[in-house]
Amino acid sequence: MQVIVRDNNVDQALRALKKKLQREGVFREMKARRSYEKPSEKRVREKAEAVRRARKLARKQAQREGLLPAPKRKGPARPARPSAASAA
């Protein structure tokens, strides 16, 4: 894996590298390899992850079809726009 450093900006390159590693799941794999995981525990974990993915996919599909309300947006509340009546 490689990241190009532009204009000697190492901080930006490090952020890009961390993002790539995160996306590839390298950090999760390193954490998992710190200690031995029994094959039975691995099966249970992978099954739970598959169930979680399937539920998430089904939830997103239901939202797209309008069966479930869309999730509330996070972020700062936008200020109310001044109406034309109050400006006059």
Side-chain angles (χ1 to χ4, degrees), residues 32-86:
R33 287 177 184 244
R34 278 191 199 135
S35 60
Y36 178 74
E37 184 178 25
K38 289 170 45 179
S40 60
E41 291 174 348
K42 183 178 179 182
R43 274 195 305 273
V44 168
R45 179 182 50 80
E46 288 178 349
K47 177 86 171 167
E49 288 173 359
V51 168
R52 205 172 302 122
R53 278 193 308 271
R55 283 187 181 153
K56 184 176 182 179
L57 189 71
R59 185 172 57 244
K60 285 191 174 283
Q61 185 71 27
Q63 286 172 351
R64 265 187 250 119
E65 293 174 358
L67 300 173
L68 288 176
K72 293 185 179 179
R73 294 182 57 158
K74 295 179 183 175
R78 293 192 292 181
R81 299 177 71 199
S83 64
S86 63

